[in-house]
Amino acid sequence: RSGPRKCVDRAPPPAAFSPIVPAACPTLPFTSRLPPPPGEEPTDPTSADYYFHSYSHFGIHEEMLKDEVRTLTYQRAILNNREFFQGKIVLDVGSGTGVLSMFAAQAGAAKVIGIENSAIVEQAQKIVDLNGFHDVITFIRGKVEEVQLPVPKVDIIISEWMGYCLFYENMLATVLVARDRWLNPGGAVFPNVATLYAVGLEDEEYRHEKIDYWDNVYGFNFAP
């Protein structure tokens, strides 16, 4: 993907930050009712809870990491635009295992902050430490709409927000919230452009099996 068209003014490297570790980030207890906030009745897990819980398992991240078209595109977009990253503060929205954060650190970012709301963030911290980026990359567990950053603004936002057919997961809205809350004027978002191509087709065999079937089920019409 092509990088941003406007260069962000360089800023001096920020002071060192202490790692941000949330006070309490338990894995959601899906086998029992969720603990309610003070003064409220217990509630069952929401669809959002299940969504974030699904990203706690390494399997889904393995699938994404092995998608070389996806991952190498991000790697090239970041490492081929080092001039945008050198000395900058970078925010990684939905940081997962931290691969994009490490690309940003490789490109010379002074500080990378990853926000991730699933338990995979614990593994990501170990991966970052193992690869020698512990002094550059910091992870925060929580939702973009709720967490606070250790800095007032960031220079660049990176995120792998695209789902199936581009919009599945509806994560773009979260990236826009991060942009509105923290991105410096003139800052950059990677990626900043996406194109969706669509074409209509008909699978006659599938239509017959899944749709036309209901017109005659053992002599009865089940179509309604």
Side-chain angles (χ1 to χ4, degrees):
R1 299 179 185 274
S2 61
R5 297 173 182 172
K6 294 180 64 178
C7 183
V8 183
D9 292 337
R10 294 181 181 274
F17 298 107
S18 299
I20 303 300
V21 180
C25 295
T27 301
L28 292 170
F30 287 94
T31 56
S32 61
R33 299 178 72 86
L34 291 170
E40 295 185 15
E41 294 296 319
T43 59
D44 290 324
T46 66
S47 59
D49 295 328
Y50 285 107
Y51 169 77
F52 290 116
H53 183 69
S54 70
Y55 282 88
S56 298
H57 302 285
F58 205 84
I60 191 170
H61 296 281
E62 178 183 9
E63 180 180 340
M64 290 188 291
L65 290 168
K66 288 182 175 179
D67 182 348
E68 293 187 357
V69 172
R70 161 196 175 273
T71 308
L72 289 176
T73 297
Y74 274 91
Q75 184 184 46
R76 287 193 295 266
I78 294 172
L79 297 184
N80 291 346
N81 289 278
R82 292 174 183 268
E83 66 275 15
F84 290 103
F85 287 85
Q86 290 175 354
K88 298 302 192 299
I89 302 176
V90 179
L91 176 63
D92 183 359
V93 176
S95 49
T97 54
V99 64
L100 301 189
S101 294
M102 290 191 288
F103 289 156
Q106 278 186 324
K111 185 66 182 177
V112 183
I113 304 165
I115 300 178
E116 173 60 47
N117 196 35
S118 74
I120 197 67
V121 71
E122 299 171 10
Q123 195 70 22
Q125 188 63 62
K126 296 177 182 178
I127 293 171
V128 163
D129 294 346
L130 181 64
N131 286 276
F133 294 114
H134 62 278
D135 58 339
V136 177
I137 301 173
T138 296
F139 291 112
I140 300 174
R141 184 172 181 185
K143 297 179 181 179
V144 165
E145 296 81 359
E146 300 172 359
V147 302
Q148 297 297 324
L149 299 187
V151 294
K153 294 291 182 181
V154 301
D155 302 304
I156 297 174
I157 293 176
I158 56 176
S159 180
E160 204 288 80
W161 56 267
M162 290 82 73
Y164 302 120
C165 293
L166 193 61
F167 296 111
Y168 183 75
E169 297 182 48
N170 196 32
M171 191 178 162
L172 177 58
T174 299
V175 175
L176 297 179
V177 170
R179 178 199 65 184
D180 295 341
R181 290 189 68 185
W182 296 304
L183 188 63
N184 270 322
V189 178
F190 280 70
N192 62 347
V193 175
T195 303
L196 177 65
Y197 297 93
V199 61
L201 61 86
E202 179 183 15
D203 184 336
E204 184 178 0
E205 181 178 346
Y206 181 86
R207 178 178 58 80
H208 179 72
E209 177 184 350
K210 296 296 184 180
I211 299 176
D212 296 343
Y213 167 79
W214 299 105
D215 292 337
N216 186 353
V217 182
Y218 303 103
F220 300 105
N221 188 338
F222 276 56

Tab-separated table of all heavy atoms in Angstrom, residues 17 88 90 101-102 104-106 108-114 128 132-139:
chain	number	residue	atom	x	y	z
A	17	PHE	N	8.955	6.142	28.703
A	17	PHE	CA	7.710	5.900	29.402
A	17	PHE	C	7.826	4.619	30.206
A	17	PHE	O	8.487	3.672	29.804
A	17	PHE	CB	6.543	5.750	28.416
A	17	PHE	CG	6.311	6.987	27.589
A	17	PHE	CD1	6.660	7.010	26.253
A	17	PHE	CD2	5.754	8.106	28.157
A	17	PHE	CE1	6.447	8.139	25.496
A	17	PHE	CE2	5.540	9.238	27.397
A	17	PHE	CZ	5.889	9.251	26.076
A	88	LYS	N	9.109	9.097	15.862
A	88	LYS	CA	7.698	9.408	16.076
A	88	LYS	C	7.073	8.526	17.155
A	88	LYS	O	7.601	7.468	17.516
A	88	LYS	CB	6.919	9.244	14.773
A	88	LYS	CG	7.359	10.179	13.661
A	88	LYS	CD	7.234	11.637	14.082
A	88	LYS	CE	7.384	12.586	12.898
A	88	LYS	NZ	8.667	12.489	12.228
A	90	VAL	N	3.920	6.199	17.824
A	90	VAL	CA	3.019	5.421	16.984
A	90	VAL	C	1.996	4.698	17.857
A	90	VAL	O	2.358	4.132	18.899
A	90	VAL	CB	3.800	4.394	16.134
A	90	VAL	CG1	2.844	3.561	15.279
A	90	VAL	CG2	4.824	5.104	15.250
A	101	SER	N	3.426	-3.443	15.528
A	101	SER	CA	4.180	-2.618	16.472
A	101	SER	C	5.674	-2.826	16.282
A	101	SER	O	6.461	-1.867	16.320
A	101	SER	CB	3.777	-2.960	17.913
A	101	SER	OG	2.443	-2.606	18.183
A	102	MET	N	6.078	-4.076	16.056
A	102	MET	CA	7.498	-4.356	15.867
A	102	MET	C	7.996	-3.828	14.528
A	102	MET	O	9.131	-3.365	14.430
A	102	MET	CB	7.759	-5.863	16.011
A	102	MET	CG	7.597	-6.350	17.448
A	102	MET	SD	8.183	-8.048	17.733
A	102	MET	CE	6.903	-8.978	16.881
A	104	ALA	N	6.916	-1.084	13.207
A	104	ALA	CA	7.077	0.344	13.466
A	104	ALA	C	8.355	0.616	14.244
A	104	ALA	O	9.071	1.592	13.973
A	104	ALA	CB	5.862	0.881	14.220
A	105	ALA	N	8.654	-0.238	15.212
A	105	ALA	CA	9.887	-0.084	15.977
A	105	ALA	C	11.103	-0.273	15.071
A	105	ALA	O	12.092	0.462	15.172
A	105	ALA	CB	9.914	-1.076	17.133
A	106	GLN	N	11.030	-1.249	14.165
A	106	GLN	CA	12.109	-1.459	13.201
A	106	GLN	C	12.313	-0.234	12.318
A	106	GLN	O	13.439	0.076	11.914
A	106	GLN	CB	11.802	-2.673	12.315
A	106	GLN	CG	12.141	-4.018	12.913
A	106	GLN	CD	11.949	-5.133	11.901
A	106	GLN	OE1	11.030	-5.090	11.065
A	106	GLN	NE2	12.798	-6.136	11.955
A	108	GLY	N	12.096	2.739	13.159
A	108	GLY	CA	12.712	3.845	13.888
A	108	GLY	C	11.802	4.644	14.787
A	108	GLY	O	12.184	5.728	15.248
A	109	ALA	N	10.584	4.146	15.063
A	109	ALA	CA	9.682	4.870	15.952
A	109	ALA	C	10.320	5.020	17.333
A	109	ALA	O	10.970	4.102	17.839
A	109	ALA	CB	8.346	4.137	16.077
A	110	ALA	N	10.141	6.196	17.938
A	110	ALA	CA	10.681	6.426	19.279
A	110	ALA	C	9.870	5.705	20.335
A	110	ALA	O	10.406	5.228	21.340
A	110	ALA	CB	10.704	7.924	19.574
A	111	LYS	N	8.570	5.610	20.111
A	111	LYS	CA	7.673	4.946	21.050
A	111	LYS	C	6.500	4.375	20.294
A	111	LYS	O	5.928	5.038	19.428
A	111	LYS	CB	7.172	5.942	22.109
A	111	LYS	CG	6.323	5.303	23.207
A	111	LYS	CD	7.152	4.352	24.045
A	111	LYS	CE	6.307	3.665	25.112
A	111	LYS	NZ	7.110	2.681	25.866
A	112	VAL	N	6.129	3.129	20.612
A	112	VAL	CA	4.968	2.479	20.024
A	112	VAL	C	4.052	2.033	21.156
A	112	VAL	O	4.498	1.360	22.094
A	112	VAL	CB	5.350	1.267	19.159
A	112	VAL	CG1	4.091	0.664	18.508
A	112	VAL	CG2	6.366	1.645	18.089
A	113	ILE	N	2.796	2.423	21.062
A	113	ILE	CA	1.803	2.043	22.063
A	113	ILE	C	0.761	1.173	21.378
A	113	ILE	O	0.130	1.598	20.408
A	113	ILE	CB	1.123	3.280	22.680
A	113	ILE	CG1	2.168	4.223	23.278
A	113	ILE	CG2	0.099	2.867	23.740
A	113	ILE	CD1	1.631	5.607	23.589
A	114	GLY	N	0.587	-0.050	21.856
A	114	GLY	CA	-0.397	-0.953	21.286
A	114	GLY	C	-1.599	-1.076	22.206
A	114	GLY	O	-1.443	-1.275	23.409
A	128	VAL	N	7.426	-9.270	22.264
A	128	VAL	CA	8.163	-8.011	22.146
A	128	VAL	C	9.441	-8.047	22.975
A	128	VAL	O	10.519	-7.637	22.527
A	128	VAL	CB	7.254	-6.833	22.580
A	128	VAL	CG1	8.078	-5.592	22.867
A	128	VAL	CG2	6.220	-6.546	21.502
A	132	GLY	N	13.582	-7.929	21.766
A	132	GLY	CA	14.391	-6.780	22.140
A	132	GLY	C	13.746	-5.420	21.969
A	132	GLY	O	14.456	-4.420	21.886
A	133	PHE	N	12.400	-5.359	21.946
A	133	PHE	CA	11.720	-4.076	21.758
A	133	PHE	C	11.025	-3.585	23.033
A	133	PHE	O	10.173	-2.704	22.972
A	133	PHE	CB	10.685	-4.184	20.635
A	133	PHE	CG	11.270	-4.422	19.279
A	133	PHE	CD1	11.042	-5.611	18.610
A	133	PHE	CD2	12.053	-3.458	18.661
A	133	PHE	CE1	11.581	-5.847	17.358
A	133	PHE	CE2	12.595	-3.677	17.402
A	133	PHE	CZ	12.362	-4.869	16.745
A	134	HIS	N	11.390	-4.153	24.185
A	134	HIS	CA	10.678	-3.827	25.426
A	134	HIS	C	10.813	-2.359	25.819
A	134	HIS	O	9.945	-1.810	26.504
A	134	HIS	CB	11.180	-4.714	26.575
A	134	HIS	CG	12.637	-4.521	26.875
A	134	HIS	ND1	13.620	-5.161	26.139
A	134	HIS	CD2	13.278	-3.755	27.795
A	134	HIS	CE1	14.805	-4.799	26.612
A	134	HIS	NE2	14.626	-3.951	27.605
A	135	ASP	N	11.882	-1.701	25.356
A	135	ASP	CA	12.078	-0.296	25.715
A	135	ASP	C	11.383	0.657	24.734
A	135	ASP	O	11.387	1.877	24.950
A	135	ASP	CB	13.570	0.030	25.784
A	135	ASP	CG	14.296	-0.257	24.470
A	135	ASP	OD1	13.762	-1.053	23.668
A	135	ASP	OD2	15.386	0.289	24.256
A	136	VAL	N	10.805	0.116	23.677
A	136	VAL	CA	10.138	0.950	22.677
A	136	VAL	C	8.625	0.710	22.665
A	136	VAL	O	7.850	1.659	22.525
A	136	VAL	CB	10.707	0.674	21.268
A	136	VAL	CG1	9.961	1.496	20.206
A	136	VAL	CG2	12.193	0.976	21.224
A	137	ILE	N	8.213	-0.538	22.825
A	137	ILE	CA	6.800	-0.908	22.674
A	137	ILE	C	6.143	-1.128	24.023
A	137	ILE	O	6.666	-1.854	24.873
A	137	ILE	CB	6.661	-2.172	21.809
A	137	ILE	CG1	7.278	-1.950	20.415
A	137	ILE	CG2	5.197	-2.578	21.676
A	137	ILE	CD1	7.332	-3.205	19.565
A	138	THR	N	4.991	-0.511	24.211
A	138	THR	CA	4.186	-0.665	25.414
A	138	THR	C	2.778	-1.074	25.008
A	138	THR	O	2.226	-0.519	24.057
A	138	THR	CB	4.107	0.659	26.209
A	138	THR	OG1	5.413	1.004	26.658
A	138	THR	CG2	3.175	0.528	27.395
A	139	PHE	N	2.203	-2.048	25.712
A	139	PHE	CA	0.838	-2.477	25.420
A	139	PHE	C	-0.107	-2.040	26.539
A	139	PHE	O	0.249	-2.040	27.710
A	139	PHE	CB	0.766	-4.000	25.278
A	139	PHE	CG	1.458	-4.517	24.041
A	139	PHE	CD1	2.609	-5.281	24.148
A	139	PHE	CD2	0.967	-4.231	22.779
A	139	PHE	CE1	3.255	-5.747	23.023
A	139	PHE	CE2	1.611	-4.691	21.637
A	139	PHE	CZ	2.758	-5.454	21.761
